[in-house]
PDB file of all heavy atoms in Angstrom:
ATOM      1  N   TYR A 213      86.378  16.302 -36.666  1.00 71.00           N
ATOM      2  CA  TYR A 213      85.742  17.106 -37.719  1.00 71.00           C
ATOM      3  C   TYR A 213      84.559  17.880 -37.132  1.00 71.00           C
ATOM      4  O   TYR A 213      83.394  17.566 -37.388  1.00 71.00           O
ATOM      5  CB  TYR A 213      85.259  16.204 -38.854  1.00 71.00           C
ATOM      6  CG  TYR A 213      86.357  15.378 -39.485  1.00 71.00           C
ATOM      7  CD1 TYR A 213      86.498  14.032 -39.175  1.00 71.00           C
ATOM      8  CD2 TYR A 213      87.250  15.948 -40.379  1.00 71.00           C
ATOM      9  CE1 TYR A 213      87.512  13.262 -39.739  1.00 71.00           C
ATOM     10  CE2 TYR A 213      88.265  15.199 -40.948  1.00 71.00           C
ATOM     11  CZ  TYR A 213      88.395  13.853 -40.623  1.00 71.00           C
ATOM     12  OH  TYR A 213      89.401  13.098 -41.191  1.00 71.00           O
ATOM     13  N   PRO A 214      84.823  18.882 -36.325  1.00 72.00           N
ATOM     14  CA  PRO A 214      83.713  19.620 -35.680  1.00 72.00           C
ATOM     15  C   PRO A 214      82.804  20.332 -36.672  1.00 72.00           C
ATOM     16  O   PRO A 214      81.662  20.647 -36.351  1.00 72.00           O
ATOM     17  CB  PRO A 214      84.439  20.617 -34.766  1.00 72.00           C
ATOM     18  CG  PRO A 214      85.812  20.729 -35.342  1.00 72.00           C
ATOM     19  CD  PRO A 214      86.135  19.407 -35.946  1.00 72.00           C
ATOM     20  N   THR A 215      83.268  20.591 -37.903  1.00 67.00           N
ATOM     21  CA  THR A 215      82.440  21.303 -38.882  1.00 67.00           C
ATOM     22  C   THR A 215      81.855  20.355 -39.945  1.00 67.00           C
ATOM     23  O   THR A 215      81.217  20.836 -40.880  1.00 67.00           O
ATOM     24  CB  THR A 215      83.266  22.385 -39.599  1.00 67.00           C
ATOM     25  OG1 THR A 215      84.378  21.760 -40.285  1.00 67.00           O
ATOM     26  CG2 THR A 215      83.797  23.401 -38.616  1.00 67.00           C
ATOM     27  N   GLY A 216      82.076  19.071 -39.808  1.00 63.00           N
ATOM     28  CA  GLY A 216      81.623  18.119 -40.838  1.00 63.00           C
ATOM     29  C   GLY A 216      80.337  17.414 -40.477  1.00 63.00           C
ATOM     30  O   GLY A 216      80.220  16.190 -40.651  1.00 63.00           O
ATOM     31  N   LEU A 217      79.353  18.165 -39.961  1.00 70.00           N
ATOM     32  CA  LEU A 217      78.114  17.542 -39.502  1.00 70.00           C
ATOM     33  C   LEU A 217      77.385  16.819 -40.634  1.00 70.00           C
ATOM     34  O   LEU A 217      76.883  15.694 -40.455  1.00 70.00           O
ATOM     35  CB  LEU A 217      77.204  18.608 -38.884  1.00 70.00           C
ATOM     36  CG  LEU A 217      75.837  18.111 -38.403  1.00 70.00           C
ATOM     37  CD1 LEU A 217      76.018  17.072 -37.296  1.00 70.00           C
ATOM     38  CD2 LEU A 217      74.987  19.287 -37.918  1.00 70.00           C
ATOM     39  N   PHE A 218      77.323  17.439 -41.807  1.00 67.00           N
ATOM     40  CA  PHE A 218      76.572  16.848 -42.914  1.00 67.00           C
ATOM     41  C   PHE A 218      77.115  15.467 -43.282  1.00 67.00           C
ATOM     42  O   PHE A 218      76.361  14.527 -43.485  1.00 67.00           O
ATOM     43  CB  PHE A 218      76.625  17.774 -44.129  1.00 67.00           C
ATOM     44  CG  PHE A 218      76.100  17.140 -45.387  1.00 67.00           C
ATOM     45  CD1 PHE A 218      74.733  16.978 -45.596  1.00 67.00           C
ATOM     46  CD2 PHE A 218      76.980  16.659 -46.359  1.00 67.00           C
ATOM     47  CE1 PHE A 218      74.260  16.370 -46.748  1.00 67.00           C
ATOM     48  CE2 PHE A 218      76.507  16.056 -47.510  1.00 67.00           C
ATOM     49  CZ  PHE A 218      75.146  15.915 -47.712  1.00 67.00           C
ATOM     50  N   PHE A 219      78.434  15.354 -43.366  1.00 69.00           N
ATOM     51  CA  PHE A 219      79.037  14.087 -43.778  1.00 69.00           C
ATOM     52  C   PHE A 219      78.742  12.976 -42.764  1.00 69.00           C
ATOM     53  O   PHE A 219      78.495  11.834 -43.130  1.00 69.00           O
ATOM     54  CB  PHE A 219      80.545  14.255 -43.967  1.00 69.00           C
ATOM     55  CG  PHE A 219      80.903  15.260 -45.025  1.00 69.00           C
ATOM     56  CD1 PHE A 219      81.612  16.409 -44.727  1.00 69.00           C
ATOM     57  CD2 PHE A 219      80.510  15.052 -46.348  1.00 69.00           C
ATOM     58  CE1 PHE A 219      81.928  17.327 -45.702  1.00 69.00           C
ATOM     59  CE2 PHE A 219      80.831  15.970 -47.340  1.00 69.00           C
ATOM     60  CZ  PHE A 219      81.537  17.117 -47.007  1.00 69.00           C
ATOM     61  N   PHE A 220      78.748  13.331 -41.495  1.00 72.00           N
ATOM     62  CA  PHE A 220      78.523  12.302 -40.482  1.00 72.00           C
ATOM     63  C   PHE A 220      77.049  11.920 -40.386  1.00 72.00           C
ATOM     64  O   PHE A 220      76.713  10.777 -40.095  1.00 72.00           O
ATOM     65  CB  PHE A 220      79.069  12.773 -39.134  1.00 72.00           C
ATOM     66  CG  PHE A 220      80.556  12.685 -39.058  1.00 72.00           C
ATOM     67  CD1 PHE A 220      81.345  13.762 -39.389  1.00 72.00           C
ATOM     68  CD2 PHE A 220      81.177  11.500 -38.684  1.00 72.00           C
ATOM     69  CE1 PHE A 220      82.717  13.684 -39.350  1.00 72.00           C
ATOM     70  CE2 PHE A 220      82.557  11.407 -38.638  1.00 72.00           C
ATOM     71  CZ  PHE A 220      83.340  12.494 -38.965  1.00 72.00           C
ATOM     72  N   LEU A 221      76.166  12.883 -40.644  1.00 78.00           N
ATOM     73  CA  LEU A 221      74.748  12.527 -40.707  1.00 78.00           C
ATOM     74  C   LEU A 221      74.485  11.602 -41.892  1.00 78.00           C
ATOM     75  O   LEU A 221      73.733  10.613 -41.788  1.00 78.00           O
ATOM     76  CB  LEU A 221      73.895  13.793 -40.822  1.00 78.00           C
ATOM     77  CG  LEU A 221      73.825  14.669 -39.574  1.00 78.00           C
ATOM     78  CD1 LEU A 221      72.992  15.925 -39.860  1.00 78.00           C
ATOM     79  CD2 LEU A 221      73.219  13.894 -38.399  1.00 78.00           C
ATOM     80  N   ALA A 222      75.114  11.898 -43.037  1.00 75.00           N
ATOM     81  CA  ALA A 222      74.966  11.034 -44.205  1.00 75.00           C
ATOM     82  C   ALA A 222      75.551   9.652 -43.940  1.00 75.00           C
ATOM     83  O   ALA A 222      74.981   8.630 -44.339  1.00 75.00           O
ATOM     84  CB  ALA A 222      75.653  11.676 -45.414  1.00 75.00           C
ATOM     85  N   ALA A 223      76.689   9.605 -43.246  1.00 76.00           N
ATOM     86  CA  ALA A 223      77.303   8.318 -42.921  1.00 76.00           C
ATOM     87  C   ALA A 223      76.402   7.510 -41.987  1.00 76.00           C
ATOM     88  O   ALA A 223      76.233   6.290 -42.153  1.00 76.00           O
ATOM     89  CB  ALA A 223      78.668   8.531 -42.279  1.00 76.00           C
ATOM     90  N   GLY A 224      75.800   8.176 -41.005  1.00 78.00           N
ATOM     91  CA  GLY A 224      74.888   7.472 -40.095  1.00 78.00           C
ATOM     92  C   GLY A 224      73.677   6.911 -40.820  1.00 78.00           C
ATOM     93  O   GLY A 224      73.256   5.773 -40.568  1.00 78.00           O
ATOM     94  N   ALA A 225      73.111   7.711 -41.741  1.00 81.00           N
ATOM     95  CA  ALA A 225      71.969   7.221 -42.522  1.00 81.00           C
ATOM     96  C   ALA A 225      72.377   6.048 -43.404  1.00 81.00           C
ATOM     97  O   ALA A 225      71.641   5.057 -43.539  1.00 81.00           O
ATOM     98  CB  ALA A 225      71.398   8.360 -43.365  1.00 81.00           C
ATOM     99  N   ASN A 226      73.555   6.148 -43.996  1.00 79.00           N
ATOM    100  CA  ASN A 226      74.053   5.071 -44.851  1.00 79.00           C
ATOM    101  C   ASN A 226      74.210   3.762 -44.066  1.00 79.00           C
ATOM    102  O   ASN A 226      73.831   2.690 -44.528  1.00 79.00           O
ATOM    103  CB  ASN A 226      75.394   5.494 -45.454  1.00 79.00           C
ATOM    104  CG  ASN A 226      76.050   4.382 -46.245  1.00 79.00           C
ATOM    105  OD1 ASN A 226      75.530   3.932 -47.255  1.00 79.00           O
ATOM    106  ND2 ASN A 226      77.213   3.928 -45.772  1.00 79.00           N
ATOM    107  N   ILE A 227      74.751   3.862 -42.858  1.00 83.00           N
ATOM    108  CA  ILE A 227      74.950   2.675 -42.018  1.00 83.00           C
ATOM    109  C   ILE A 227      73.612   2.040 -41.663  1.00 83.00           C
ATOM    110  O   ILE A 227      73.427   0.823 -41.754  1.00 83.00           O
ATOM    111  CB  ILE A 227      75.738   3.054 -40.752  1.00 83.00           C
ATOM    112  CG1 ILE A 227      77.169   3.441 -41.126  1.00 83.00           C
ATOM    113  CG2 ILE A 227      75.743   1.912 -39.752  1.00 83.00           C
ATOM    114  CD1 ILE A 227      77.948   4.077 -39.988  1.00 83.00           C
ATOM    115  N   ALA A 228      72.645   2.872 -41.246  1.00 84.00           N
ATOM    116  CA  ALA A 228      71.340   2.337 -40.846  1.00 84.00           C
ATOM    117  C   ALA A 228      70.618   1.691 -42.027  1.00 84.00           C
ATOM    118  O   ALA A 228      70.032   0.605 -41.893  1.00 84.00           O
ATOM    119  CB  ALA A 228      70.486   3.462 -40.253  1.00 84.00           C
ATOM    120  N   VAL A 229      70.662   2.331 -43.200  1.00 85.00           N
ATOM    121  CA  VAL A 229      69.963   1.798 -44.371  1.00 85.00           C
ATOM    122  C   VAL A 229      70.581   0.487 -44.835  1.00 85.00           C
ATOM    123  O   VAL A 229      69.873  -0.500 -45.094  1.00 85.00           O
ATOM    124  CB  VAL A 229      69.973   2.835 -45.522  1.00 85.00           C
ATOM    125  CG1 VAL A 229      69.481   2.199 -46.816  1.00 85.00           C
ATOM    126  CG2 VAL A 229      69.097   4.026 -45.157  1.00 85.00           C
ATOM    127  N   LEU A 230      71.913   0.441 -44.926  1.00 85.00           N
ATOM    128  CA  LEU A 230      72.560  -0.786 -45.376  1.00 85.00           C
ATOM    129  C   LEU A 230      72.382  -1.926 -44.377  1.00 85.00           C
ATOM    130  O   LEU A 230      72.233  -3.091 -44.759  1.00 85.00           O
ATOM    131  CB  LEU A 230      74.048  -0.531 -45.625  1.00 85.00           C
ATOM    132  CG  LEU A 230      74.368   0.296 -46.872  1.00 85.00           C
ATOM    133  CD1 LEU A 230      75.872   0.509 -47.004  1.00 85.00           C
ATOM    134  CD2 LEU A 230      73.828  -0.373 -48.129  1.00 85.00           C
ATOM    135  N   PHE A 231      72.382  -1.607 -43.109  1.00 87.00           N
ATOM    136  CA  PHE A 231      72.099  -2.639 -42.110  1.00 87.00           C
ATOM    137  C   PHE A 231      70.674  -3.177 -42.293  1.00 87.00           C
ATOM    138  O   PHE A 231      70.437  -4.393 -42.208  1.00 87.00           O
ATOM    139  CB  PHE A 231      72.271  -2.076 -40.707  1.00 87.00           C
ATOM    140  CG  PHE A 231      71.877  -3.046 -39.615  1.00 87.00           C
ATOM    141  CD1 PHE A 231      72.668  -4.148 -39.338  1.00 87.00           C
ATOM    142  CD2 PHE A 231      70.704  -2.855 -38.885  1.00 87.00           C
ATOM    143  CE1 PHE A 231      72.306  -5.051 -38.346  1.00 87.00           C
ATOM    144  CE2 PHE A 231      70.346  -3.741 -37.882  1.00 87.00           C
ATOM    145  CZ  PHE A 231      71.138  -4.843 -37.612  1.00 87.00           C
ATOM    146  N   GLY A 232      69.730  -2.268 -42.563  1.00 87.00           N
ATOM    147  CA  GLY A 232      68.357  -2.715 -42.818  1.00 87.00           C
ATOM    148  C   GLY A 232      68.259  -3.604 -44.043  1.00 87.00           C
ATOM    149  O   GLY A 232      67.540  -4.622 -44.032  1.00 87.00           O
ATOM    150  N   PHE A 233      69.002  -3.257 -45.104  1.00 87.00           N
ATOM    151  CA  PHE A 233      69.022  -4.103 -46.294  1.00 87.00           C
ATOM    152  C   PHE A 233      69.561  -5.496 -45.967  1.00 87.00           C
ATOM    153  O   PHE A 233      69.041  -6.509 -46.441  1.00 87.00           O
ATOM    154  CB  PHE A 233      69.881  -3.464 -47.391  1.00 87.00           C
ATOM    155  CG  PHE A 233      69.191  -2.359 -48.130  1.00 87.00           C
ATOM    156  CD1 PHE A 233      69.915  -1.317 -48.684  1.00 87.00           C
ATOM    157  CD2 PHE A 233      67.814  -2.355 -48.279  1.00 87.00           C
ATOM    158  CE1 PHE A 233      69.284  -0.290 -49.361  1.00 87.00           C
ATOM    159  CE2 PHE A 233      67.169  -1.341 -48.966  1.00 87.00           C
ATOM    160  CZ  PHE A 233      67.904  -0.296 -49.498  1.00 87.00           C
ATOM    161  N   GLY A 234      70.609  -5.546 -45.167  1.00 87.00           N
ATOM    162  CA  GLY A 234      71.179  -6.839 -44.791  1.00 87.00           C
ATOM    163  C   GLY A 234      70.201  -7.687 -43.997  1.00 87.00           C
ATOM    164  O   GLY A 234      70.074  -8.891 -44.234  1.00 87.00           O
ATOM    165  N   VAL A 235      69.486  -7.047 -43.059  1.00 89.00           N
ATOM    166  CA  VAL A 235      68.501  -7.776 -42.256  1.00 89.00           C
ATOM    167  C   VAL A 235      67.360  -8.301 -43.132  1.00 89.00           C
ATOM    168  O   VAL A 235      66.923  -9.450 -42.993  1.00 89.00           O
ATOM    169  CB  VAL A 235      67.955  -6.868 -41.139  1.00 89.00           C
ATOM    170  CG1 VAL A 235      66.780  -7.532 -40.423  1.00 89.00           C
ATOM    171  CG2 VAL A 235      69.056  -6.535 -40.136  1.00 89.00           C
ATOM    172  N   MET A 236      66.868  -7.462 -44.056  1.00 90.00           N
ATOM    173  CA  MET A 236      65.774  -7.906 -44.937  1.00 90.00           C
ATOM    174  C   MET A 236      66.224  -9.035 -45.857  1.00 90.00           C
ATOM    175  O   MET A 236      65.467  -9.979 -46.117  1.00 90.00           O
ATOM    176  CB  MET A 236      65.265  -6.712 -45.748  1.00 90.00           C
ATOM    177  CG  MET A 236      64.491  -5.704 -44.927  1.00 90.00           C
ATOM    178  SD  MET A 236      63.693  -4.427 -45.939  1.00 90.00           S
ATOM    179  CE  MET A 236      65.147  -3.558 -46.578  1.00 90.00           C
ATOM    180  N   GLU A 237      67.458  -8.941 -46.357  1.00 86.00           N
ATOM    181  CA  GLU A 237      67.978 -10.008 -47.219  1.00 86.00           C
ATOM    182  C   GLU A 237      68.100 -11.312 -46.443  1.00 86.00           C
ATOM    183  O   GLU A 237      67.822 -12.397 -46.965  1.00 86.00           O
ATOM    184  CB  GLU A 237      69.338  -9.594 -47.783  1.00 86.00           C
ATOM    185  CG  GLU A 237      69.888 -10.543 -48.838  1.00 86.00           C
ATOM    186  CD  GLU A 237      69.063 -10.531 -50.107  1.00 86.00           C
ATOM    187  OE1 GLU A 237      68.433  -9.503 -50.409  1.00 86.00           O
ATOM    188  OE2 GLU A 237      69.040 -11.569 -50.802  1.00 86.00           O
ATOM    189  N   ARG A 238      68.491 -11.214 -45.190  1.00 88.00           N
ATOM    190  CA  ARG A 238      68.593 -12.409 -44.339  1.00 88.00           C
ATOM    191  C   ARG A 238      67.213 -13.040 -44.143  1.00 88.00           C
ATOM    192  O   ARG A 238      67.037 -14.254 -44.282  1.00 88.00           O
ATOM    193  CB  ARG A 238      69.196 -12.027 -42.992  1.00 88.00           C
ATOM    194  CG  ARG A 238      69.224 -13.179 -41.963  1.00 88.00           C
ATOM    195  CD  ARG A 238      69.712 -12.653 -40.612  1.00 88.00           C
ATOM    196  NE  ARG A 238      69.645 -13.694 -39.605  1.00 88.00           N
ATOM    197  CZ  ARG A 238      70.634 -14.562 -39.352  1.00 88.00           C
ATOM    198  NH1 ARG A 238      71.748 -14.502 -40.048  1.00 88.00           N
ATOM    199  NH2 ARG A 238      70.492 -15.463 -38.407  1.00 88.00           N
ATOM    200  N   LYS A 239      66.211 -12.200 -43.816  1.00 89.00           N
ATOM    201  CA  LYS A 239      64.864 -12.719 -43.601  1.00 89.00           C
ATOM    202  C   LYS A 239      64.297 -13.359 -44.864  1.00 89.00           C
ATOM    203  O   LYS A 239      63.670 -14.428 -44.807  1.00 89.00           O
ATOM    204  CB  LYS A 239      63.946 -11.591 -43.123  1.00 89.00           C
ATOM    205  CG  LYS A 239      64.236 -11.124 -41.702  1.00 89.00           C
ATOM    206  CD  LYS A 239      63.239 -10.057 -41.259  1.00 89.00           C
ATOM    207  CE  LYS A 239      63.484  -9.654 -39.810  1.00 89.00           C
ATOM    208  NZ  LYS A 239      62.523  -8.605 -39.348  1.00 89.00           N
ATOM    209  N   GLU A 240      64.525 -12.718 -46.013  1.00 86.00           N
ATOM    210  CA  GLU A 240      64.026 -13.278 -47.268  1.00 86.00           C
ATOM    211  C   GLU A 240      64.689 -14.612 -47.580  1.00 86.00           C
ATOM    212  O   GLU A 240      64.029 -15.564 -48.013  1.00 86.00           O
ATOM    213  CB  GLU A 240      64.274 -12.292 -48.409  1.00 86.00           C
ATOM    214  CG  GLU A 240      63.743 -12.787 -49.753  1.00 86.00           C
ATOM    215  CD  GLU A 240      64.020 -11.808 -50.877  1.00 86.00           C
ATOM    216  OE1 GLU A 240      64.495 -10.696 -50.591  1.00 86.00           O
ATOM    217  OE2 GLU A 240      63.757 -12.157 -52.038  1.00 86.00           O
ATOM    218  N   THR A 241      65.997 -14.696 -47.344  1.00 85.00           N
ATOM    219  CA  THR A 241      66.715 -15.937 -47.616  1.00 85.00           C
ATOM    220  C   THR A 241      66.238 -17.055 -46.697  1.00 85.00           C
ATOM    221  O   THR A 241      66.031 -18.196 -47.133  1.00 85.00           O
ATOM    222  CB  THR A 241      68.231 -15.724 -47.435  1.00 85.00           C
ATOM    223  OG1 THR A 241      68.666 -14.687 -48.314  1.00 85.00           O
ATOM    224  CG2 THR A 241      68.996 -16.994 -47.745  1.00 85.00           C
ATOM    225  N   LEU A 242      66.055 -16.750 -45.416  1.00 86.00           N
ATOM    226  CA  LEU A 242      65.572 -17.757 -44.474  1.00 86.00           C
ATOM    227  C   LEU A 242      64.163 -18.223 -44.852  1.00 86.00           C
ATOM    228  O   LEU A 242      63.838 -19.408 -44.727  1.00 86.00           O
ATOM    229  CB  LEU A 242      65.584 -17.192 -43.049  1.00 86.00           C
ATOM    230  CG  LEU A 242      66.966 -16.936 -42.440  1.00 86.00           C
ATOM    231  CD1 LEU A 242      66.826 -16.299 -41.057  1.00 86.00           C
ATOM    232  CD2 LEU A 242      67.753 -18.237 -42.341  1.00 86.00           C
ATOM    233  N   PHE A 243      63.343 -17.282 -45.310  1.00 86.00           N
ATOM    234  CA  PHE A 243      61.988 -17.653 -45.733  1.00 86.00           C
ATOM    235  C   PHE A 243      62.038 -18.579 -46.942  1.00 86.00           C
ATOM    236  O   PHE A 243      61.302 -19.574 -47.009  1.00 86.00           O
ATOM    237  CB  PHE A 243      61.188 -16.391 -46.059  1.00 86.00           C
ATOM    238  CG  PHE A 243      59.816 -16.666 -46.613  1.00 86.00           C
ATOM    239  CD1 PHE A 243      58.780 -17.043 -45.767  1.00 86.00           C
ATOM    240  CD2 PHE A 243      59.564 -16.562 -47.979  1.00 86.00           C
ATOM    241  CE1 PHE A 243      57.516 -17.308 -46.268  1.00 86.00           C
ATOM    242  CE2 PHE A 243      58.304 -16.826 -48.486  1.00 86.00           C
ATOM    243  CZ  PHE A 243      57.279 -17.197 -47.628  1.00 86.00           C
ATOM    244  N   GLN A 244      62.904 -18.271 -47.918  1.00 81.00           N
ATOM    245  CA  GLN A 244      63.032 -19.118 -49.092  1.00 81.00           C
ATOM    246  C   GLN A 244      63.540 -20.507 -48.721  1.00 81.00           C
ATOM    247  O   GLN A 244      63.070 -21.514 -49.259  1.00 81.00           O
ATOM    248  CB  GLN A 244      63.978 -18.473 -50.105  1.00 81.00           C
ATOM    249  CG  GLN A 244      63.416 -17.224 -50.752  1.00 81.00           C
ATOM    250  CD  GLN A 244      64.416 -16.540 -51.656  1.00 81.00           C
ATOM    251  OE1 GLN A 244      65.604 -16.869 -51.660  1.00 81.00           O
ATOM    252  NE2 GLN A 244      63.961 -15.566 -52.442  1.00 81.00           N
ATOM    253  N   GLN A 245      64.481 -20.580 -47.784  1.00 80.00           N
ATOM    254  CA  GLN A 245      64.986 -21.878 -47.339  1.00 80.00           C
ATOM    255  C   GLN A 245      63.882 -22.675 -46.642  1.00 80.00           C
ATOM    256  O   GLN A 245      63.766 -23.889 -46.826  1.00 80.00           O
ATOM    257  CB  GLN A 245      66.169 -21.684 -46.399  1.00 80.00           C
ATOM    258  CG  GLN A 245      67.427 -21.179 -47.083  1.00 80.00           C
ATOM    259  CD  GLN A 245      68.580 -21.013 -46.120  1.00 80.00           C
ATOM    260  OE1 GLN A 245      68.391 -20.819 -44.918  1.00 80.00           O
ATOM    261  NE2 GLN A 245      69.798 -21.073 -46.640  1.00 80.00           N
ATOM    262  N   LYS A 246      63.067 -21.982 -45.858  1.00 83.00           N
ATOM    263  CA  LYS A 246      61.960 -22.650 -45.178  1.00 83.00           C
ATOM    264  C   LYS A 246      60.943 -23.182 -46.172  1.00 83.00           C
ATOM    265  O   LYS A 246      60.449 -24.313 -46.051  1.00 83.00           O
ATOM    266  CB  LYS A 246      61.293 -21.671 -44.209  1.00 83.00           C
ATOM    267  CG  LYS A 246      60.192 -22.287 -43.360  1.00 83.00           C
ATOM    268  CD  LYS A 246      59.629 -21.253 -42.382  1.00 83.00           C
ATOM    269  CE  LYS A 246      58.516 -21.867 -41.540  1.00 83.00           C
ATOM    270  NZ  LYS A 246      57.942 -20.867 -40.596  1.00 83.00           N
ATOM    271  N   GLU A 247      60.630 -22.359 -47.195  1.00 81.00           N
ATOM    272  CA  GLU A 247      59.694 -22.810 -48.217  1.00 81.00           C
ATOM    273  C   GLU A 247      60.247 -23.997 -49.000  1.00 81.00           C
ATOM    274  O   GLU A 247      59.516 -24.944 -49.308  1.00 81.00           O
ATOM    275  CB  GLU A 247      59.399 -21.652 -49.187  1.00 81.00           C
ATOM    276  CG  GLU A 247      58.555 -20.535 -48.598  1.00 81.00           C
ATOM    277  CD  GLU A 247      57.147 -21.007 -48.263  1.00 81.00           C
ATOM    278  OE1 GLU A 247      56.467 -21.504 -49.169  1.00 81.00           O
ATOM    279  OE2 GLU A 247      56.748 -20.895 -47.090  1.00 81.00           O
ATOM    280  N   ALA A 248      61.543 -23.954 -49.314  1.00 76.00           N
ATOM    281  CA  ALA A 248      62.151 -25.074 -50.036  1.00 76.00           C
ATOM    282  C   ALA A 248      62.127 -26.345 -49.202  1.00 76.00           C
ATOM    283  O   ALA A 248      61.892 -27.447 -49.719  1.00 76.00           O
ATOM    284  CB  ALA A 248      63.587 -24.722 -50.418  1.00 76.00           C
ATOM    285  N   LYS A 249      62.359 -26.202 -47.889  1.00 80.00           N
ATOM    286  CA  LYS A 249      62.320 -27.370 -47.005  1.00 80.00           C
ATOM    287  C   LYS A 249      60.906 -27.945 -46.931  1.00 80.00           C
ATOM    288  O   LYS A 249      60.709 -29.165 -46.959  1.00 80.00           O
ATOM    289  CB  LYS A 249      62.797 -26.964 -45.615  1.00 80.00           C
ATOM    290  CG  LYS A 249      62.939 -28.131 -44.638  1.00 80.00           C
ATOM    291  CD  LYS A 249      63.420 -27.660 -43.277  1.00 80.00           C
ATOM    292  CE  LYS A 249      64.824 -27.109 -43.368  1.00 80.00           C
ATOM    293  NZ  LYS A 249      65.354 -26.764 -42.020  1.00 80.00           N
ATOM    294  N   HIS A 250      59.906 -27.061 -46.863  1.00 80.00           N
ATOM    295  CA  HIS A 250      58.522 -27.539 -46.844  1.00 80.00           C
ATOM    296  C   HIS A 250      58.166 -28.241 -48.157  1.00 80.00           C
ATOM    297  O   HIS A 250      57.491 -29.281 -48.149  1.00 80.00           O
ATOM    298  CB  HIS A 250      57.574 -26.359 -46.613  1.00 80.00           C
ATOM    299  CG  HIS A 250      57.593 -25.858 -45.203  1.00 80.00           C
ATOM    300  ND1 HIS A 250      56.952 -24.710 -44.807  1.00 80.00           N
ATOM    301  CD2 HIS A 250      58.186 -26.345 -44.090  1.00 80.00           C
ATOM    302  CE1 HIS A 250      57.140 -24.508 -43.521  1.00 80.00           C
ATOM    303  NE2 HIS A 250      57.887 -25.483 -43.062  1.00 80.00           N
ATOM    304  N   ALA A 251      58.626 -27.657 -49.274  1.00 75.00           N
ATOM    305  CA  ALA A 251      58.338 -28.279 -50.568  1.00 75.00           C
ATOM    306  C   ALA A 251      58.991 -29.648 -50.674  1.00 75.00           C
ATOM    307  O   ALA A 251      58.392 -30.601 -51.193  1.00 75.00           O
ATOM    308  CB  ALA A 251      58.840 -27.374 -51.699  1.00 75.00           C
ATOM    309  N   ALA A 252      60.227 -29.764 -50.165  1.00 73.00           N
ATOM    310  CA  ALA A 252      60.903 -31.068 -50.193  1.00 73.00           C
ATOM    311  C   ALA A 252      60.168 -32.070 -49.313  1.00 73.00           C
ATOM    312  O   ALA A 252      60.035 -33.254 -49.673  1.00 73.00           O
ATOM    313  CB  ALA A 252      62.346 -30.910 -49.727  1.00 73.00           C
ATOM    314  N   ALA A 253      59.671 -31.605 -48.141  1.00 78.00           N
ATOM    315  CA  ALA A 253      58.933 -32.504 -47.261  1.00 78.00           C
ATOM    316  C   ALA A 253      57.636 -32.973 -47.909  1.00 78.00           C
ATOM    317  O   ALA A 253      57.267 -34.155 -47.829  1.00 78.00           O
ATOM    318  CB  ALA A 253      58.639 -31.800 -45.934  1.00 78.00           C
ATOM    319  N   LEU A 254      56.940 -32.036 -48.575  1.00 76.00           N
ATOM    320  CA  LEU A 254      55.708 -32.412 -49.264  1.00 76.00           C
ATOM    321  C   LEU A 254      55.984 -33.392 -50.397  1.00 76.00           C
ATOM    322  O   LEU A 254      55.221 -34.332 -50.628  1.00 76.00           O
ATOM    323  CB  LEU A 254      55.014 -31.160 -49.805  1.00 76.00           C
ATOM    324  CG  LEU A 254      54.371 -30.244 -48.768  1.00 76.00           C
ATOM    325  CD1 LEU A 254      53.824 -28.977 -49.432  1.00 76.00           C
ATOM    326  CD2 LEU A 254      53.244 -30.964 -48.037  1.00 76.00           C
ATOM    327  N   SER A 255      57.099 -33.160 -51.113  1.00 71.00           N
ATOM    328  CA  SER A 255      57.460 -34.076 -52.194  1.00 71.00           C
ATOM    329  C   SER A 255      57.747 -35.468 -51.655  1.00 71.00           C
ATOM    330  O   SER A 255      57.347 -36.472 -52.242  1.00 71.00           O
ATOM    331  CB  SER A 255      58.677 -33.530 -52.937  1.00 71.00           C
ATOM    332  OG  SER A 255      59.078 -34.411 -53.965  1.00 71.00           O
TER     333      SER A 255
END
């Protein structure tokens, strides 16, 4: 698709943004698990 520059730029942005969302969701989940483990230890 030599003339489809816009679509591929949009696809690249979409990939980077969704990957970032996945990484942030992973970090948040790991943080919540860590907090729950600390709370259980304190209990």
Side-chain angles (χ1 to χ4, degrees):
Y213 302 102
T215 60
L217 178 62
F218 169 76
F219 299 118
F220 284 93
L221 289 177
N226 174 64
I227 292 169
V229 170
L230 287 179
F231 175 72
F233 282 151
V235 171
M236 289 188 293
E237 188 67 28
R238 174 186 175 89
K239 289 183 177 180
E240 182 181 353
T241 302
L242 291 177
F243 175 78
Q244 291 175 349
Q245 289 181 335
K246 185 177 179 181
E247 289 294 303
K249 186 180 294 185
H250 286 172
L254 289 175
S255 178

